[in-house]
């Protein structure tokens, strides 16, 4: 019997090149499309989120350490003048002395000036002490007046203390401040009509207190009716006031007591009898005298007033 014919395994048919090329092209397109879509999604969403978060400032909340406060010098408090300022007083003739006084009648002419509305107060005098280290009046607690007395006239000051205050205030204001002469004082208290009292020709019990009514020192401007024709308060009663003038004898020589010159004080005080409280009252007091019944007020000369006083 003849042997069966030998068979060989059949090889798979070779791929048809006409079919392979389209497959390769389709795969390439799919790959490129997938890559483009993936990169686009990342670019549109992922990268912008990262960029936005990178551009957004990061706020870190921390507790700030306070900077140490710089020590700055305290501003100098403004200097106080008379409670309502300076009152202009026109120049003119003043009749001094005569009936009811211890000097003969005579007349003096005064140039225009301004006068403080009230006596210098404890509060004002404290500014002077703080600025100059001047010795405070007796009865003060160091450089402080007694509580509740700030608006009262400063007392316990001698003539030189009052002069020193005026000198200091002159420097503060840049003009002339001084004690009034007796003629200036009466001009401011009595006006052009030469009144007996600042408020008129008759005594007014509502305008001042006296020894008979057991008076005591009061804050300035306590009596609305105790006001001169130019608006100055308490020029009769409350406390005596120093003037610039010295007492002189009939020959015009300065009067002395125990080697100390006598100065003129004006107006009376709360502790005087009614008969001795008026705008012409005067007393001769040693310049070094201090009393709880004696204070002062000042006058101010501005440029035009200074020239007038000098006769220019």
């Amino acid at each position: 019997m003849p042997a069966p014919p030998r068979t060989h395994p059949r090889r798979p048919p070779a791929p048809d090149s006409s079919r392979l090329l389209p497959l390769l092209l389709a795969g390439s397109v799919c790959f490129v499309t997938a890559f483009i879509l993936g990169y686009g999604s990342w670019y549109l969403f992922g990268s912008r989120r990262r960029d936005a978060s990178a551009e957004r400032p990061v706020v870190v909340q921390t507790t700030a350490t306070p900077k140490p406060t710089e020590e700055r010098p305290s501003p100098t408090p403004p200097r106080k003048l008379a409670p309502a300022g300076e009152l202009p007083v026109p120049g003119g003739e003043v009749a001094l002395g005569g009936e009811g006084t211890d000097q003969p009648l005579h007349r003096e002419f005064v140039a225009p000036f301004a006068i403080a509305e009230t006596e210098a107060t404890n509060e004002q005098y404290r500014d002077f002490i703080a600025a100059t280290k001047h010795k405070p009046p007796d009865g003060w607690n160091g450089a402080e007046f007694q509580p509740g007395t700030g608006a009262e006239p400063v007392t316990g000051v001698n003539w030189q203390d009052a002069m020193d205050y005026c000198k200091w205030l002159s420097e503060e204001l840049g003009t002339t401040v001084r004690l009034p002469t007796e003629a200036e004082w009466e001009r401011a208290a009595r006006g052009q009509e030469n009144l007996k009292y600042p408020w008129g020709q008759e005594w007014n019990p509502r305008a001042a207190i006296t020894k008979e009514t057991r008076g005591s020192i009061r804050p300035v401007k306590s009596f609305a009716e105790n006001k001169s024709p130019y608006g100055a308060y308490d020029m009769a009663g409350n406390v005596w006031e120093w003037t610039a003038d010295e007492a002189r004898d009939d020959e015009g020589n300065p009067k002395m007591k125990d080697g100390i010159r006598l100065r003129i004080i004006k107006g009376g005080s709360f502790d005087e009898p009614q008969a001795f409280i008026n705008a012409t009252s005067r007393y001769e007091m040693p310049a070094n005298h201090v009393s709880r019944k004696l204070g002062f007020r000042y006058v101010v000369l501005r440029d035009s007033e200074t020239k007038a006083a000098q006769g220019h």
Side-chain angles (χ1 to χ4, degrees), residues 197-211:
Y197 303 98
W199 54 81
Q201 298 289 11
E202 302 295 331
W203 174 257
N204 181 350
R206 296 185 302 276
I209 50 180
T210 67
K211 192 170 186 177

Side-chain angles (χ1 to χ4, degrees), residues 52-72:
S53 62
E55 293 173 359
R56 187 182 302 121
V58 178
V59 179
V60 180
Q61 295 183 346
T62 59
T63 303
T65 303
K67 296 182 179 180
T69 303
E70 295 181 1
E71 294 185 2
R72 297 181 180 177

Side-chain angles (χ1 to χ4, degrees), residues 63 248 270:
T63 303
R248 295 184 177 272
F270 64 87

Side-chain angles (χ1 to χ4, degrees), residues 8-289:
H8 299 281
R10 295 182 62 182
R11 294 180 181 179
D16 189 353
S17 59
S18 63
R19 295 176 56 192
L20 181 60
L21 183 58
L23 290 174
L24 290 175
L25 289 176
S28 298
V29 171
C30 291
F31 176 80
V32 171
T33 301
F35 177 82
I36 291 173
L37 290 175
Y39 179 82
S41 298
W42 171 84
Y43 177 81
L44 292 174
F45 302 104
S47 66
R48 290 195 176 183
R49 281 198 300 270
R50 284 195 298 272
D51 291 342
S53 62
E55 293 173 359
R56 187 182 302 121
V58 178
V59 179
V60 180
Q61 295 183 346
T62 59
T63 303
T65 303
K67 296 182 179 180
T69 303
E70 295 181 1
E71 294 185 2
R72 297 181 180 177
S74 300
T76 303
R79 303 300 179 190
K80 300 178 178 62
L81 305 182
E86 307 152 14
L87 303 171
V89 179
E93 190 176 68
V94 182
L96 298 172
E99 183 180 356
T101 72
D102 57 357
Q103 59 177 337
L105 177 65
H106 63 286
R107 299 181 183 277
E108 291 186 24
F109 183 86
V110 297
F113 62 96
I115 194 161
E117 188 182 29
T118 72
E119 297 116 340
T121 65
N122 285 324
E123 188 175 33
Q124 293 168 331
Y125 201 77
R126 178 182 59 186
D127 291 339
F128 160 63
I129 291 174
T132 65
K133 310 305 179 187
H134 193 90
K135 181 180 179 296
D138 293 338
W140 283 37
N141 183 16
E144 277 293 325
F145 49 79
Q146 294 298 322
T149 65
E152 293 181 5
V154 62
T155 60
V157 292
N158 62 33
W159 184 84
Q160 189 60 53
D161 292 331
M163 290 287 288
D164 290 344
Y165 177 90
C166 291
K167 180 181 178 181
W168 166 77
L169 193 55
S170 292
E171 296 171 353
E172 292 293 305
L173 299 181
T175 191
T176 301
V177 178
R178 58 170 172 76
L179 293 176
T181 66
E182 183 176 12
E184 288 171 335
W185 194 97
E186 285 207 19
R187 177 71 169 177
R190 304 175 67 191
Q192 296 183 8
E193 298 180 7
N194 288 324
L195 301 173
K196 182 177 182 180
Y197 303 98
W199 54 81
Q201 298 289 11
E202 302 295 331
W203 174 257
N204 181 350
R206 296 185 302 276
I209 50 180
T210 67
K211 192 170 186 177
E212 291 90 342
T213 57
R214 298 180 181 181
S216 61
I217 192 169
R218 298 292 181 87
V220 297
K221 301 172 70 173
S222 290
F223 299 94
E225 297 183 49
N226 191 342
K227 195 173 183 180
S228 81
Y230 302 114
Y233 284 86
D234 305 318
M235 296 195 81
N238 212 17
V239 298
W240 288 95
E241 299 178 16
W242 287 109
T243 71
D245 288 353
E246 57 187 6
R248 295 184 177 272
D249 60 23
D250 295 338
E251 285 73 37
N253 300 314
K255 289 185 179 181
M256 311 282 286
K257 182 177 181 179
D258 299 328
I260 304 298
R261 293 196 177 197
L262 301 181
R263 297 283 174 176
I264 302 301
I265 61 175
K266 297 289 292 180
S269 79
F270 64 87
D271 198 35
E272 307 295 341
Q274 175 186 324
F276 209 62
I277 299 177
N278 56 62
T280 63
S281 291
R282 69 194 300 270
Y283 201 80
E284 299 172 355
M285 189 66 66
N288 63 348
H289 182 75

